[in-house]
Amino acid sequence: MTSSAIREILKITQRPEVISFAGGLPAPELFPIEEIKNAADRVLTDHGPAALQYSTTEGHLPLRNWIAERSRISPDMVQITSGSQQGLDLLGRVLIDPGDVVLVESPTYLGALQAFAPYAPRFVEVATDDDGIVPEALDDQLAGLDAKLLYTIPTFQNPTGRTLPLARREALLEITRRRGVTIIEDGPYNELRFRGGEVETIFELARRDSSPDELNVIMLGTFSKVLAPGLRDAWVQGPRHVIDKLVQAKQAADLHSPTLNQMIITELLDDVLTNQIKIIREAYGQRAAIMIDAVARKLPEGVTCTNPEGGMFCWVTLPDETIDTEPMLAEAVDRNVAYVPGRPFYATGARSNTLRLSYVTSTEEQIRTGIDALGAVIADRLSRGVPARL
Amino acid sequence: MTSSAIREILKITQRPEVISFAGGLPAPELFPIEEIKNAADRVLTDHGPAALQYSTTEGHLPLRNWIAERSRISPDMVQITSGSQQGLDLLGRVLIDPGDVVLVESPTYLGALQAFAPYAPRFVEVATDDDGIVPEALDDQLAGLDAKLLYTIPTFQNPTGRTLPLARREALLEITRRRGVTIIEDGPYNELRFRGGEVETIFELARRDSSPDELNVIMLGTFSKVLAPGLRDAWVQGPRHVIDKLVQAKQAADLHSPTLNQMIITELLDDVLTNQIKIIREAYGQRAAIMIDAVARKLPEGVTCTNPEGGMFCWVTLPDETIDTEPMLAEAVDRNVAYVPGRPFYATGARSNTLRLSYVTSTEEQIRTGIDALGAVIADRLSRGVPARL
C-alpha cells in the first residue's frame, strides 16, 4: 500500500460511519471560516487585479517579510510553496542526486519519503529512541557514511508525536556541521504545543551563529495546520544558495503559488493566527488527553503508546513483532474504526506491529468509541495467536 | 537570459513607466472580480469546511465533471493542476526519461522547455512555416528518429500567434499514430478566437475514433486566460494510463491544488465564463488589430509580423539574421518599451532577430506609443549597420 497510502486513506475516511484516526487532517470545525471569508472580501475589494494576476515565483512579499522577521532572517531566505509537500519535492529536486544518502528517522513522515523517492536517494535510517534521534549513534553512523542530508521532524513528530530535547538538537547541529551534512527540519506542528515548555527549533539554534550562506539547516513551515490546509500555503526557509535554486525549480514546477491565497493569509497574520493557535492547542490538548487515557484503559496489555506534548499524532506498538497492522486494518474498518498501519512510515526495516493514530478530528465520544473498537480488534488479533516464526 | 527569462521579464514589467509588450499576462481590468468575490463568499458560506480542508489529489469532482463533459470523456481522464505549468512539469516527470526525443515547434513556448528540461530530454525542432508544423517534413524527420513525444500549441501559438489548419491537424494525428508518437497539445488560448472560424483541437479529432486507453493525444487546458491566472487552476486530459501516473506524481509534488480555488471556479462555470470569453475576445481582437496596424505602419521596412486570429501574441522578425534582439532589449527599455527577445523560445538553432509582442495588457494609446518607440529602436539598430559576416 506504500505508494498511494495517503490517498487511499483519505478515501476511507470519507465514509461517514467510520471513526477515522487515520487522517492527517486538522479539525475542520476550528477553521476560521468567517475570518477567511472577510479576508477574501477585503483582498478582492482592495487588491482584486493583483490578487488574480500572475505574480512572482518567490511569493507575496508581505507574507515573506512576516515569515522572515519571525525567524530574524532576510526575505530572500524564504520561498513560498504550495503546501510543505511541494517544499519537500522541490528540495529533493535541487538537493538530491541519484544515490545520495538521505538520513531519516525510523519511522518518518511517509509523504517525505514519497516526495524524495523520484530523485532516487539512498535512504538510511538513523537510530531513534523515545526522545527521537540518538546523537551518539548518528555520529558513529556518519563515520562510515558519506551522507548529504538529514530529514527530521524534531517537534511532535509525524508519525510518533515525539519531540527531540534541546540538548539533542544542539548535539545534532554540532555533529552535522562537523560532518558536512545539511539538516532539513520539517516543522508543520511547531505551533501546536499543548503541554510542556517550548523547545527552540534547530533552525533557530543554527541561525544564531551562522551567516545566511553558511547555514546548514533548511526549515519548512506551513499554514495548513494553524489556519487551513485547503489554501495550500507553506514555505521553505534556508541559506540563500538553496533558496535561489528553489526559486528556479518552483518556476519550472508551477510558476508561483496562488496570489489570492497568499494575500488572504497575509490578512490573517498576527491577530487571527494567534487566536487560532490558542484555540487549536486547547482543543487538541483535550482530545489527546482523552485518547491517551482511553488507549491506556482499553487497549490490551503489552500495547504501548507515545504521549505527545503537541501535534496531531500518537504511535502505537503492539506486543508481538510478527503482527502486521496492514491486514488488521480491514478488520478495524469492519468495526468502523480506521488508523494508518506503521509500515509505510519506514524507509527500510519496517516494524509491522505499529500504527498511527490522530486524535484531532474526532469528538470525545468518537475517541472513546473508536478506541474501544480498536481494543477489540487488537484483542481478537492477539487471541488468534501469532504466526509461527520460521 | 534563458533560464530565468520569464521571471526577469515579470520584474521589468512592474516598472510603471515601461509600456510592456513582454508579459504573457492577461488583461487584469477584464478579470471578473465581483463575480469571483461573490463566488468565494458563496463557497465559504455553503461549503467552508470542505473548501478549506485537504482534498483529493485528482481535483474537485464537479470541476472535473464539467471539463470531462465538454470533451465527451470520463472524469478519470482529467487531472486538475496548479496552472498548465504544473501540467507540463508533471507530464515531463511521468513521460520523459533522460535522452528521450521530444519534438517541439520552432519557436515554441519557453515555459514548456523549462518544465521539460529537468527530465533531460533531447529536444528536436520540427520544421514549421507560416501555418505551423509542416506534416510532410515531420513524417520525413520521424523516419530517422525514435521520437516519444511531440509538444505543440496548435491554436494561437505562443510565441508566434499561428494556428495550425485542420488538414494539418489530421495529418499530424495520422503520422504520430503511425509512428507511435504521443502528442502533448497545449491549449491555453483555445477560447480566445477573435476572427476566423473555429478549428477542432487535435484531442477532439483523436477522441472520435480512439478508446480512452489508446488515445495518443494529451491536452492541457487552463482557466488562467479566461478567468484569472492568480487562482492557478488548469488541467490535463488524456488517456487513463497517463492520468493515473499523473495522479501519483501530483500527490508527491503537492498533494492537491487548493480546494477553495477549484470551488470558486466551479461556481463561475457556464454563465460567468461564457460572458468572460465574449468580453476577452472582443477586447483582445481590438487590441490586436491596433497593434498589427501600428506594426505595419511604424516598424521599418523589411520587418515582418504574424497576424493572429486569436490568443495574445504576435511574432516579429527583423530583416537581418545577424541582429540580436537580446542586447537590443536594453535600448528598448531605455525608450520605455519592452518585448521578449526570440532566442529563449528556440530549443535549438535560435533565430536571434526575432521578438514576441503581447497586445493584451496595453491600451490603444500605449500600443501606438510603444510601437512608435519600438520602431525607433529598430530603425536605430538598422542604421548602425549589422556586424560583418565572418
Side-chain angles (χ1 to χ4, degrees):
Chain A
M1 71 184 284
T2 309
S3 78
S4 58
I6 292 180
R7 199 154 49 91
E8 293 310 309
I9 289 155
L10 280 172
K11 281 180 189 163
I12 290 177
T13 62
Q14 286 172 350
R15 284 172 40 193
E17 69 277 18
V18 175
I19 295 175
S20 178
F21 304 134
L25 311 181
E29 75 277 12
L30 305 180
F31 291 159
I33 297 175
E34 279 305 308
E35 290 81 355
I36 289 173
K37 204 196 311 188
N38 293 337
D41 193 89
R42 279 198 305 278
V43 164
L44 288 165
T45 303
D46 298 343
H47 313 284
L52 297 172
Q53 186 57 284
Y54 283 114
S55 185
T56 51
T57 301
E58 295 88 336
H60 188 50
L61 187 57
L63 185 59
R64 288 164 60 223
N65 280 336
W66 182 88
I67 293 163
E69 278 169 28
R70 208 153 148 269
S71 285
R72 281 167 259 171
I73 56 176
S74 63
D76 59 0
M77 295 170 71
V78 177
Q79 169 66 51
I80 301 293
T81 61
S82 292
S84 281
Q85 187 71 25
Q86 187 182 46
L88 294 170
D89 174 51
L90 296 179
L91 285 171
R93 199 186 274 230
V94 305
L95 296 177
I96 300 175
D97 292 315
D100 279 350
V101 171
V102 176
L103 302 163
V104 294
E105 289 156 338
S106 172
T108 188
Y109 173 52
L110 72 91
L113 297 176
Q114 289 179 336
F116 295 155
Y119 308 104
R122 187 181 141 218
F123 289 118
V124 174
E125 292 192 338
V126 174
T128 56
D129 64 14
D130 287 350
D131 282 333
I133 294 175
V134 183
E136 298 71 25
L138 173 68
D139 202 14
D140 288 348
Q141 219 172 354
L142 284 173
L145 199 64
D146 184 21
K148 190 179 216 173
L149 297 169
L150 166 62
Y151 171 76
T152 176
I153 310 165
T155 305
F156 319 133
Q157 201 231 14
N158 183 356
T160 63
R162 285 174 194 146
T163 295
L164 193 72
L166 181 63
R168 288 198 181 185
R169 293 176 190 227
E170 286 165 342
L172 225 61
L173 191 58
E174 187 279 320
I175 293 164
T176 53
R177 279 175 169 171
R178 178 159 42 79
R179 300 280 190 185
V181 174
T182 298
I183 297 178
I184 298 178
E185 179 181 22
D186 199 355
Y189 317 107
N190 284 357
E191 312 300 328
L192 305 185
R193 176 175 288 281
F194 41 73
R195 63 186 181 85
E198 296 288 338
V199 185
E200 276 180 302
T201 63
I202 305 174
F203 184 92
E204 174 58 23
L205 295 172
R207 187 205 55 79
R208 279 212 211 116
D209 53 6
S210 297
S211 77
D213 295 317
E214 285 168 347
L215 205 60
N216 80 321
V217 183
I218 299 160
M219 191 168 84
L220 294 101
T222 180
F223 296 101
S224 288
K225 308 302 191 276
V226 289
L227 287 172
L231 296 171
R232 311 301 300 124
D233 267 307
W235 73 91
V236 180
Q237 59 188 64
R240 264 192 285 258
H241 60 94
V242 171
I243 298 300
D244 287 350
K245 282 187 203 157
L246 278 189
V247 175
Q248 302 277 338
K250 168 85 177 162
Q251 190 188 11
D254 65 4
L255 295 184
H256 66 87
S257 289
T259 332
L260 174 63
N261 305 38
Q262 295 181 63
M263 292 175 93
I264 288 174
I265 285 183
T266 305
E267 288 281 312
L268 304 176
L269 294 175
D270 301 322
D271 289 0
V272 174
L273 181 63
T274 305
N275 193 45
Q276 274 302 116
I277 291 171
K278 213 178 126 206
I279 290 169
I280 293 169
R281 284 178 177 191
E282 196 177 312
Y284 288 9
Q286 285 171 359
R287 291 169 200 184
I290 293 162
M291 182 172 279
I292 297 303
D293 175 67
V295 161
R297 292 189 298 106
K298 297 303 179 89
L299 297 195
E301 218 184 303
V303 174
T304 64
C305 184
T306 55
N307 190 3
E309 297 190 337
M312 299 167 54
F313 307 109
C314 60
W315 182 249
V316 172
T317 306
L318 305 191
D320 194 294
E321 286 183 4
T322 62
I323 292 179
D324 188 339
T325 57
E326 283 193 11
M328 197 179 81
L329 179 60
E331 298 167 37
V333 172
D334 279 348
R335 295 199 194 231
N336 290 332
V337 62
Y339 58 82
V340 187
R343 190 181 284 149
F345 294 99
Y346 291 90
T348 61
R351 298 179 64 196
S352 67
N353 60 326
T354 55
L355 59 89
R356 190 190 75 178
L357 299 177
S358 162
Y359 37 77
V360 309
T361 41
S362 307
T363 63
E364 179 169 341
E365 194 191 322
Q366 285 171 328
I367 293 173
R368 294 193 200 286
T369 308
I371 295 296
D372 270 0
L374 183 62
V377 171
I378 296 173
D380 261 18
R381 185 69 197 71
L382 291 173
S383 74
R384 289 206 305 275
V386 293
R389 289 176 207 213
L390 297 176
Chain B
M1 70 183 288
T2 308
S3 77
S4 56
I6 292 178
R7 198 155 48 94
E8 294 310 310
I9 289 155
L10 280 172
K11 281 180 188 162
I12 290 177
T13 62
Q14 286 172 350
R15 284 173 40 191
E17 68 276 17
V18 175
I19 295 174
S20 180
F21 304 135
L25 312 181
E29 76 276 12
L30 305 180
F31 291 159
I33 297 176
E34 278 306 308
E35 289 82 355
I36 289 175
K37 204 195 313 188
N38 294 337
D41 193 90
R42 279 199 304 278
V43 165
L44 287 165
T45 302
D46 298 343
H47 313 284
L52 297 171
Q53 187 57 286
Y54 284 113
S55 186
T56 50
T57 301
E58 295 88 337
H60 188 51
L61 187 57
L63 185 58
R64 287 164 60 223
N65 280 338
W66 182 88
I67 293 163
E69 277 168 30
R70 209 155 147 267
S71 284
R72 281 167 257 171
I73 55 176
S74 65
D76 59 0
M77 295 171 72
V78 177
Q79 168 66 52
I80 301 293
T81 60
S82 293
S84 280
Q85 187 70 25
Q86 187 181 47
L88 293 170
D89 175 50
L90 296 179
L91 285 171
R93 200 186 274 230
V94 306
L95 295 178
I96 300 175
D97 293 314
D100 278 351
V101 171
V102 176
L103 301 164
V104 294
E105 288 156 338
S106 172
T108 187
Y109 172 52
L110 72 92
L113 297 177
Q114 288 179 336
F116 295 156
Y119 308 104
R122 186 180 142 220
F123 289 118
V124 173
E125 293 191 336
V126 173
T128 56
D129 64 16
D130 287 350
D131 283 332
I133 294 175
V134 182
E136 298 70 27
L138 173 68
D139 201 15
D140 289 348
Q141 220 172 353
L142 284 173
L145 199 63
D146 185 19
K148 189 179 217 172
L149 297 169
L150 166 63
Y151 170 76
T152 175
I153 310 165
T155 306
F156 318 133
Q157 200 231 16
N158 183 357
T160 64
R162 286 174 192 146
T163 294
L164 193 72
L166 181 64
R168 288 199 182 186
R169 294 176 189 225
E170 287 165 341
L172 226 59
L173 190 58
E174 187 278 319
I175 293 164
T176 54
R177 280 174 168 171
R178 177 161 42 79
R179 300 279 190 184
V181 173
T182 298
I183 296 178
I184 298 178
E185 178 180 23
D186 199 355
Y189 317 106
N190 284 358
E191 312 299 328
L192 306 185
R193 176 175 289 280
F194 40 72
R195 62 188 182 83
E198 296 288 338
V199 185
E200 275 181 303
T201 63
I202 304 173
F203 184 92
E204 174 59 23
L205 295 172
R207 187 205 56 79
R208 280 213 211 116
D209 53 6
S210 298
S211 78
D213 296 316
E214 285 168 346
L215 202 61
N216 80 321
V217 183
I218 299 160
M219 191 169 83
L220 295 100
T222 180
F223 297 102
S224 288
K225 307 301 191 277
V226 288
L227 287 172
L231 296 172
R232 311 300 300 125
D233 267 307
W235 72 91
V236 179
Q237 59 188 63
R240 265 192 285 257
H241 60 94
V242 171
I243 299 299
D244 287 350
K245 283 188 202 156
L246 278 190
V247 176
Q248 302 278 340
K250 168 86 177 162
Q251 189 187 10
D254 65 4
L255 295 184
H256 65 88
S257 290
T259 332
L260 174 63
N261 306 37
Q262 295 180 64
M263 293 174 93
I264 288 174
I265 285 183
T266 306
E267 288 280 313
L268 304 176
L269 294 175
D270 300 322
D271 289 0
V272 174
L273 181 63
T274 305
N275 193 45
Q276 275 302 117
I277 291 171
K278 212 178 126 205
I279 291 169
I280 293 168
R281 284 178 176 191
E282 196 178 313
Y284 289 9
Q286 284 171 359
R287 292 170 200 183
I290 293 162
M291 182 172 278
I292 297 303
D293 175 68
V295 160
R297 291 189 299 107
K298 297 304 178 89
L299 297 194
E301 217 184 303
V303 175
T304 64
C305 184
T306 56
N307 190 4
E309 298 190 337
M312 298 167 55
F313 307 109
C314 61
W315 183 248
V316 171
T317 304
L318 305 190
D320 194 295
E321 284 182 8
T322 62
I323 291 179
D324 189 338
T325 57
E326 283 192 11
M328 197 179 82
L329 179 60
E331 298 166 38
V333 172
D334 279 347
R335 295 197 194 230
N336 291 330
V337 63
Y339 58 81
V340 188
R343 190 182 284 150
F345 294 99
Y346 291 90
T348 61
R351 297 180 63 197
S352 66
N353 60 325
T354 54
L355 59 90
R356 190 191 74 178
L357 300 177
S358 162
Y359 37 77
V360 309
T361 42
S362 307
T363 63
E364 179 169 340
E365 196 190 321
Q366 285 171 329
I367 293 174
R368 294 194 200 283
T369 309
I371 296 296
D372 269 0
L374 183 62
V377 171
I378 296 173
D380 261 19
R381 184 68 198 74
L382 291 173
S383 74
R384 289 205 306 275
V386 293
R389 291 178 204 209
L390 297 176

